[in-house]
Amino acid sequence: MRASWVFSVAVTLLLGSVGIGKTQEKEKSAPKKIAVRAGRLIDGKSDTPTANVLILVENDRIVSVSAGGAAPAGVEVLDLSKATVLPGFVDAHTHLLLNGDITSEDYDVQLLKQSIPYRAILSARNARIALEHGFTAMRDLETEGAMYADVDIKNAIANGEVPGPRMQVATRAMTPTGMYPLLGYSWELQVPKGVQYVDGVDSARKAVREQVMYGADWIKYYSDRRYHFEADGVLHSMVNFTDEEAKAIVDETHRLGKKVAAHAIGSDGIAAALRAGVDTIEHGDGLTDALIDEIARKGVYWVPTITVGAYVAPGRGGNWTKMVDLEKAAFQKALKKNVKIALGTDAGGFDWKEVNQAKEFEYYVAYGMTPMQAIRSGTVVPAELLGWSDKIGTIELGKWADIVAVAGDPLKDITELEHVKFVMKGGVVYKNEIH
Ligand SMILES: [Zn+2]
């Protein structure tokens, strides 16, 4: 055994040096071909589904999509002829490093009693849950005190070490000093912070540079806090940064070729974020008619995260219940004005094990989208938000083979998307319960 091993290594080295080894290597890694037979295909592009479609996958890409026909000889066929096949889902707002925070105590405990390595291990579990629910890409919008651990989970997934969606990450997020928990502890204690505190224009630019240096794809900042209704019936808020600071964050981020997401719930926070020139508005409960016009005109994406609002409202009470109703009204107006609505759930704000993030689709349909609009909102639109329109979001020639399937027809019952039976990411099958 040993002698033959030494011999084969020697031969490989020898052949490698004259260029023959390389040819052998190529033969060994001949493209892996899989044919997926889809009973019904919602490709993310067409307005109507297509029946009986054959999708050919070579390695990690889709190489053809054709009506019916036989698979090429010798190619493995995955029979999804009784299922509805769709592009992998994309969630534009998650927190892999958080596991539910209805109360501030839920939040504090995670930062005070769990180490960052422990939280990172849970984040790998959460990434697998997301993938098995059909989410093949996600934008993770800050680690909530876990520093740059989102970059690590993103890399571990990309390197094939753990299963999970393709990720873009925002690392630490920013507020001015004292505007984000942990708060309320004795000044004698050094407690962890859920964000990076940033004060002043220079410090804002430096924080952006630092976060980008450590792997941030996005910069996230908290535009506001202290949400409250005033006599005008509008949801107002306290704006965190001065306009100069917010503009410095946005300008520096764009200068470095990255994009900015702003947490903005009250109308004042949304208005400030739009003035600063952010790329996406997160939550946006307090969108007024004028702000809806502005967000539409500027082509800024709105990521509504309805699942988390509905989930935390009963536990938090007070204004939170009213905010859910307010957001529903804003959603219906924004839909009429063609605002770019990208599906985002704030998963992590609710426990990954308790709620399937695909529930967000259900809310969008209940709030007035057609099932097809809701599907696009969770595939094509967030793909565009991520700058990955050429790679994901539809089932088309040349795209990454990120393909999911459900047993029933989601155009008749959108909750089908909460029961994904088949998941392929980059040509690799992670789940197949279709029989
Ligand atoms: Zn969030």
Side-chain angles (χ1 to χ4, degrees), residues 138 255 269 282 387:
M138 298 197 310
R255 218 174 59 80
E282 308 304 312

Side-chain angles (χ1 to χ4, degrees), residues 67-102:
V75 171
E76 181 194 350
V77 180
L78 293 170
D79 183 15
L80 306 181
S81 58
K82 292 196 181 90
T84 304
V85 172
L86 306 108
F89 307 151
V90 186
D91 189 336
H93 189 134
T94 66
H95 301 281
L96 278 177
L97 285 131
L98 200 64
N99 292 284
D101 66 329
I102 296 178

Side-chain angles (χ1 to χ4, degrees), residues 93 95 141 144 220 222 283 346:
H93 189 134
H95 301 281
L141 278 187
E144 310 285 359
K220 180 191 184 181
Y222 282 80
H283 317 301
D346 220 352

